[in-house]
Amino acid sequence: MFPIRDLNPKHSATVLTLLIIAANVAVFFFWQPFGQGVQAETEFLYERAAVPCELTEQRPIVAADLALGECAPAALGQAFFPEKNLWLSVLTSMFLHAGLLHLLGNMWFLWIFGDNVEDAFGHVGFILVYVLSGIAATAGFVWLHPTETVPLIGASGAIAGVLGAYLVLFPLRPVLALLGLFVLPVPALLFIGVWFLGQFAVDAPGVAWEAHVAGFIAGVVLTLLAKPALRRSTRASRG
């Protein structure tokens, strides 16, 4: 199933959703060095993106790590990017993408589901859910693959958190989804549930489905914790 749009009106301007989409697009077209050769692109990702081995060992990656394909024990040698801020790389990774289709797919899901989540949480609450889900996505992947030396990139983990929040807040709202040759309305619970279960069947190299699952769970948990306060806020605004 592929989402076309949801049938869920919002009641306020969802500025942050648009700003996040704009930031991702700007980073892809104006910062990432696509078209400048594989070496330039690879160096950029190792300099800017989160690498599980680096976060586990708390040191920038060295040649021995890449030669081994995992964190080298007691690795010696000059780091490729010794000034790299490892913790900032977790945030930076949320705005980097592997290609145009990767970017468009992520931004499409954020466009469809992000506005209503922002509408429910407000601007501050929404950005907290988005960023914390993205951090949880990276943490979950690093926990399962602590010695991995391939950069972890994409907004998918943070957007998975938005999907988790949407599922908790609007489980029965219809989503128009492309099913083969047909466009049919299905409840958000069914659409997002199928998406979530489908992550466990992903068998494509380079797809960090574990990060998607971790981000989704974070979004669900954060929204369940915030839901009572969101209800009080909604009643007060209508009162």
Side-chain angles (χ1 to χ4, degrees):
M1 289 191 292
F2 186 81
I4 304 301
R5 65 186 180 95
D6 66 336
L7 303 177
N8 191 0
K10 57 182 184 292
H11 304 92
S12 60
T14 50
V15 177
L16 278 178
T17 300
L18 294 174
L19 286 177
I20 292 172
I21 291 172
N24 276 274
V25 171
V27 165
F28 182 80
F29 284 105
F30 300 111
W31 192 31
Q32 287 190 243
F34 279 106
Q36 299 179 25
V38 174
Q39 181 176 348
E41 295 173 13
T42 302
E43 288 180 357
F44 178 88
L45 293 182
Y46 274 104
E47 183 177 8
R48 304 293 183 183
V51 178
C53 173
E54 294 182 330
L55 297 173
T56 302
E57 297 291 321
Q58 278 301 287
R59 58 168 176 78
I61 205 164
V62 299
D65 301 316
L66 296 183
L68 191 61
E70 61 182 24
C71 290
L76 300 175
Q78 178 65 34
F80 287 113
F81 302 104
E83 303 301 321
K84 181 177 181 178
N85 187 320
L86 302 183
W87 297 115
L88 182 60
S89 71
V90 175
L91 181 62
T92 304
S93 283
M94 298 182 205
F95 294 90
L96 305 177
H97 288 84
L100 185 58
L101 289 179
H102 188 202
L103 172 71
L104 292 177
N106 278 341
M107 295 306 100
W108 185 251
F109 270 72
L110 182 57
W111 169 255
I112 291 176
F113 297 103
D115 57 349
N116 293 110
V117 175
E118 182 181 351
D119 190 35
F121 270 94
H123 305 316
V124 175
F126 175 73
I127 198 65
L128 285 174
V129 170
Y130 186 88
V131 171
L132 291 176
S133 295
I135 292 172
T138 298
F141 187 86
V142 172
W143 180 59
L144 293 171
H145 304 278
T147 64
E148 178 66 67
T149 59
V150 176
L152 184 64
I153 61 172
S156 308
I159 295 170
V162 173
L163 291 177
Y166 194 102
L167 177 66
V168 173
L169 294 170
F170 312 109
L172 300 181
R173 293 298 173 92
V175 176
L176 289 181
L178 181 64
L179 301 169
L181 299 177
F182 303 97
V183 176
L184 300 173
V186 297
L189 177 64
L190 175 60
F191 180 88
I192 297 175
V194 168
W195 173 89
F196 178 73
L197 293 176
Q199 300 307 302
F200 296 94
V202 172
D203 190 25
V207 178
W209 64 268
E210 301 94 333
H212 303 168
V213 171
F216 179 86
I217 292 172
V220 168
V221 171
L222 289 169
T223 307
L224 288 174
L225 292 174
K227 198 171 183 181
L230 296 179
R231 285 174 175 166
R232 288 194 296 271
S233 175
T234 301
R235 286 197 296 268
S237 65
R238 290 176 179 173

